[in-house]
């Protein structure tokens, strides 16, 4: 029974953790792009994003990570044979990368608060895809264990995930280009009136 409780809360923890990571970097993108706004909107937006980032990181994302890790330890304590499984070693390696990503996001949050972040909105969009890829790999390892599928279906699913990531990037690029065109057109209107 303990194993089932640990597993249930492990799943709840990683859902919360990933939800926080997905939204956190999205807030970073908005935070960086707020620099393009005129005052006082720029200051107001940056202050609001800073509050939202800190709350999300401290109240949702980090507790989600802690619950995930604690419940994983609980699962392993009730089933120590899992520690001999090669798939688990790979999964734990990817979870280690995810934990590093989590703390790197905390570092970026501090840089944004101090106006020292060198990342652009576009590069942050690319960074925002990292947890998606890690999620896919970690879940696939957890479900298929040592029998990770390499057939056509698996490659189609992988291709779909890559297609979604590329589509999101292209959509953001098109949206940004349209915004630049609109801004340029609006700047031309006052000149034409003079």
């Amino acid at each position: 029974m303990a194993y089932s409780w640990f597993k249930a809360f492990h799943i709840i923890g990683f859902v919360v953790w990933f939800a926080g990571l997905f939204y956190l970097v999205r807030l970073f993108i908005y935070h960086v792009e707020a620099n393009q706004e005129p005052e006082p909107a720029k200051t107001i937006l940056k202050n609001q994003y800073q509050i939202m980032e800190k709350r999300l990181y401290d109240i949702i994302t980090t507790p989600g990570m802690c619950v995930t890790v604690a419940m994983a330890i609980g699962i392993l304590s009730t089933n120590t044979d899992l520690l001999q499984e090669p798939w688990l070693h790979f999964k734990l390696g990817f979870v280690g990368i995810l934990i590093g990503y989590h703390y790197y996001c905390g570092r970026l949050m501090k840089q944004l608060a101090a106006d020292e972040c060198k990342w652009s909105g576009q590069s942050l969009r690319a960074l925002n895809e990292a947890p998606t890829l890690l999620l896919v790999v970690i879940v696939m390892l957890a479900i298929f264990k040592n029998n990770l599928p390499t057939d056509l279906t698996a490659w189609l699913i992988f291709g779909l995930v890559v297609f979604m990531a590329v589509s999101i990037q292209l959509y953001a690029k098109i949206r940004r280009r349209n915004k630049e065109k609109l801004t340029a057109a609006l700047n031309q209107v006052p000149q034409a009136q003079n």
Side-chain angles (χ1 to χ4, degrees):
M1 185 60 86
Y3 175 84
S4 296
W5 281 106
F6 288 138
K7 191 171 183 179
F9 281 97
H10 179 69
I11 293 169
I12 291 166
F14 84 69
V15 168
V16 170
W17 186 18
F18 273 96
L21 288 175
F22 291 145
Y23 190 49
L24 185 64
V25 179
R26 176 59 49 189
L27 288 175
F28 292 168
I29 294 165
Y30 298 149
H31 193 145
V32 166
E33 291 178 350
N35 285 322
Q36 300 166 3
E37 299 296 327
E39 289 295 350
K42 175 181 171 180
T43 302
I44 292 168
L45 288 170
K46 288 175 72 169
N47 288 340
Q48 184 62 39
Y49 291 136
Q50 188 175 337
I51 291 166
M52 293 169 69
E53 291 158 3
K54 184 158 179 43
R55 288 180 181 165
L56 179 63
Y57 189 81
D58 292 343
I59 299 171
I60 296 173
T61 312
T62 300
M65 178 189 68
C66 292
V67 168
T68 302
V69 171
M71 295 303 107
I73 293 168
I75 289 169
L76 293 174
S77 71
T78 61
N79 190 356
T80 55
D81 292 341
L82 286 173
L83 291 170
Q84 307 304 316
E85 297 289 335
W87 68 268
L88 184 64
H89 300 165
F90 286 109
K91 180 185 173 193
L92 292 176
F94 285 113
V95 171
I97 292 168
L98 185 65
I99 290 171
Y101 177 88
H102 175 98
Y103 283 108
Y104 185 73
C105 286
R107 185 171 162 221
L108 281 177
M109 186 176 66
K110 290 176 184 172
Q111 289 175 358
L112 283 163
D115 276 334
E116 297 171 353
C117 183
K118 304 293 185 226
W119 287 73
S120 68
Q122 186 63 24
S123 56
L124 284 168
R125 280 183 176 82
L127 180 69
N128 199 28
E129 302 306 324
T132 304
L133 297 175
L134 289 168
L135 175 65
V136 169
V137 171
I138 290 168
V139 169
M140 296 292 272
L141 285 166
I143 298 298
F144 293 104
K145 301 184 180 9
N146 292 324
N147 299 315
L148 197 61
T150 55
D151 61 358
L152 180 61
T153 304
W155 285 109
L156 286 173
I157 292 170
F158 177 76
L160 179 63
V161 171
V162 170
F163 173 76
M164 288 173 24
V166 169
S167 297
I168 291 167
Q169 293 297 319
L170 288 174
Y171 171 75
K173 193 174 195 173
I174 291 167
R175 202 178 89 211
R176 189 175 60 255
R177 190 177 305 138
N178 289 342
K179 185 177 179 182
E180 289 169 359
K181 285 180 183 177
L182 179 63
T183 303
L186 290 174
N187 288 337
Q188 293 294 326
V189 171
Q191 292 174 0
Q193 291 176 352
N194 291 332

